[in-house]
Every structure is written in structure tokens, then in C-alpha cells.
Amino acid sequence: MKARAFCPAHITGFFKAEIDGKDPNRLGSLGAGFSIQKGVRTTVILSSRNSSDAAKFHIQIKGFKTGDVRVSEYVLNEFLAGNDDYFVDVIHELNVPVGYGLGCSAAVALSLALALNQALKTGFSKTKVGQIAHLAEIRCGTGLGDVLASYHGGFEIRTKSGAPGIGELEKIDPKEKLDVLIICFNPISTKKFLGEKISLVNGLGGKMVQELIESKDMNEFQDKSIKFAKYIKIVTPKMNKVASELRKNGIKCGVALFGETIFSLVPPSEKQKALQILEKYDGLVLSSKIDNSGARLD
């Protein structure tokens, strides 16, 4: 038996962490961001397992590499608890890099959970599957709000924290078609970042969420993202140089949390100009579009 699922990568421009409380399904973040058409495609293949085999699964990663498979292991153990019949081969195809603020661990968790639910015929609702992926992120300390956002797709403002079915969001429909351009310089550890910056993050992040709910303006979102990143002191000289040059050319941009990563949402007419600026810098440049469908079976 075989199943495949896709989950879009997701970028958060600013946020407020909601991490006080005992119910992990209610933990997460308020914030704003968008999902892109690049992400993680996961294939699972089931075969009969010999009772003498110690291992229950094997994880293979293609494309951008990561040595951290904790999120995948968590999801697999949740689905395979009490099930000794199958050995599961997992193939994650990553077309976004890990650790750069692109919500990769959420996309890994959610695409894997959807594929396992289908292959194992577990019969969980999509909401329940999303909650398993959300718990994987919370337990492993790899993210706070990306599962809820990439589950739904599109451009969103997260208005209530938590897993799918508990957390809430408002979708924004941009007034014009937008291309997404991204330049990645260096990864940042989400766990380390949250430990160091949380008190700084929350005051400004909560205020920005309320303001964006009122305006629902793309340009304001990008301006707020840069302001937020500067306020919490994660804009490196290299990022500042890129952002300044884009701004001088009339191009808005923001910062992907958590990574040394600049993004720009541009109308197609501005794409070439923005791309030429980004390609002058020594970073990984990605081009994509907004994904409006969210996580799904493939």
C-alpha cells in the first residue's frame, strides 16, 4: 500500500506566541503569513513487517537535506502505536531548505500524517490528522503556528492559536496576483530563538495582528514584517543591505521567521527587477507563487 501527500511551505512575517497553558492543542501563535507552492511531498509505502524486526520504519530525505527527523519520528510513532503489522518506508521530497523560516518541519509533519492516514486506512478526519502534526511541532519545539496556516493555505491572519479545529484564522485575498521571491542566507534554530526573544516578540506581534485585521493590506504586512524583525534584532547587515536596495527600487519586502531570510511579494510586472537585485547577493534565491489549497493528498 502506498500514499502520497503535499504540504506547502509557509512564511510568517510577524507573530505573538501563545505558549502558556497545559493543553498543547491550544498552544501556538497569532500572526500573519502565507503559504507557497513549494513545500514538502511525502510518500509512504507499507510492507509486511517481520515480528523479529526491531525497526518499524525507515525515513529517506530527497532534495534539501536535514539531519533532524524528530518530527517525522513523532508522527510515525503516533500512527504506529499498537500496530506491529507494517514496516513503513517514508520518502520526504523537500524543495525548500530547512531552518530558514519556511515552515519546513510543519510541512514534513502534515504531509506525512496525511499520507499515513490514507495508507494505513486509519480513518482519522483531516482535522485530527492536522492535530497530530501540530502536536509533533509543539513537542519537538520546531514551530508554533505553521501547521494551522499550511493546513488551510493562502494568505492568512491567525486570530486564535492552536491546532486545526481549535486555532482560527482569517484569509486575505490579495487585490492583485503576486509572485513570491525569497533569498535565504543562514538558518536559525526556532527553539533557541523562542527561548531568547519571546518577551520582545509578544508585545509588538499582538498589536500588529490587530492592525492587519483592520487593514488587510499586503504592503502594510511587508512593512510590519521588517519593522518586527528589526525590533527583535534579527536583521543582519546582509539582510539589511538587501532590504534597503529593494526599498530604494520601490519594492516591498519582509523577513521570514525564523531564518536569515528576506521575502518579497511582488506583482508580475516587478518580478524581474526584484529577481535581478536578489541574484546579486550570495544567497539561495527561490521563486514561487501563493498556494491557496493548503495541505492535501497528492
Side-chain angles (χ1 to χ4, degrees):
M1 281 170 281
K2 183 176 176 178
R4 194 165 76 158
F6 173 78
C7 183
H10 177 263
I11 286 172
T12 291
F14 55 84
F15 74 101
K16 176 188 177 186
E18 298 273 345
I19 52 175
D20 294 326
K22 290 183 179 172
D23 181 358
N25 270 315
R26 296 184 182 278
L27 304 182
S29 63
L30 311 182
F34 55 91
S35 295
I36 62 173
Q37 289 176 357
K38 289 183 183 293
V40 177
R41 181 165 277 104
T42 296
T43 304
V44 301
I45 303 162
L46 304 186
S47 54
S48 297
R49 177 174 173 266
N50 295 324
S51 53
S52 57
D53 291 345
K56 285 188 172 185
F57 53 78
H58 174 257
I59 301 165
Q60 183 184 352
I61 295 166
K62 294 182 176 180
F64 289 99
K65 299 296 182 187
T66 175
D68 186 353
V69 293
R70 287 172 302 152
V71 165
S72 299
E73 288 172 348
Y74 182 96
V75 172
L76 281 155
N77 286 325
E78 284 293 298
F79 274 91
L80 294 173
N83 185 339
D84 293 325
D85 296 338
Y86 296 110
F87 181 86
V88 186
D89 271 303
V90 177
I91 303 157
H92 291 305
E93 298 168 73
L94 279 59
N95 60 11
V96 289
V98 181
Y100 290 81
L102 304 179
C104 202
S105 57
V108 162
L110 198 40
S111 60
L112 175 56
L114 283 167
L116 283 170
N117 190 48
Q118 177 81 354
L120 290 165
K121 295 185 170 53
T122 320
F124 292 151
S125 66
K126 191 180 176 188
T127 302
K128 171 68 175 168
V129 169
Q131 289 175 355
I132 292 170
H134 175 83
L135 284 178
E137 277 252 275
I138 297 293
R139 300 281 192 221
C140 297
T142 52
L144 287 174
D146 289 317
V147 167
L148 177 65
S150 56
Y151 177 94
H152 290 282
F155 190 102
E156 97 293 332
I157 305 172
R158 300 187 302 284
T159 54
K160 181 184 173 187
S161 66
I166 293 166
E168 294 172 6
L169 52 76
E170 282 186 31
K171 280 204 184 186
I172 300 176
D173 192 15
K175 292 182 180 71
E176 56 185 338
K177 274 197 161 50
L178 295 168
D179 282 294
V180 183
L181 298 176
I182 302 161
I183 185 163
C184 305
F185 293 115
N186 286 297
I188 293 174
S189 162
T190 299
K191 204 167 191 173
K192 183 169 181 286
F193 180 98
L194 285 173
E196 292 172 355
K197 305 279 189 182
I198 206 69
S199 57
L200 268 178
V201 161
N202 280 357
L204 184 60
K207 182 168 171 274
M208 285 183 165
V209 168
Q210 292 308 314
E211 289 170 352
L212 195 67
I213 288 169
E214 294 296 315
S215 73
K216 296 184 169 60
D217 182 84
M218 291 293 127
N219 287 329
E220 186 185 315
F221 163 71
Q222 295 189 86
D223 288 343
K224 284 184 184 306
S225 177
I226 284 280
K227 183 181 175 183
F228 184 85
K230 285 183 173 175
Y231 178 73
I232 60 174
K233 299 180 172 60
I234 61 161
V235 178
T236 62
K238 194 182 285 186
M239 291 164 77
N240 200 38
K241 209 171 171 184
V242 174
S244 296
E245 188 171 350
L246 287 168
R247 273 200 307 275
K248 278 178 197 161
N249 284 273
I251 298 165
K252 299 281 186 182
C253 64
V255 174
L257 303 167
F258 308 99
E260 194 182 347
T261 299
I262 295 281
F263 69 82
S264 184
L265 295 164
V266 293
S269 59
E270 297 282 302
K271 182 181 178 181
Q272 210 47 46
K273 184 165 73 167
L275 210 46
Q276 282 170 351
I277 292 168
L278 296 183
E279 284 172 346
K280 292 196 301 193
Y281 293 89
D282 183 25
L284 170 70
V285 177
L286 302 171
S287 173
S288 192
K289 294 184 185 299
I290 302 280
D291 179 291
N292 288 306
S293 304
R296 58 210 180 254
L297 289 168
D298 203 11

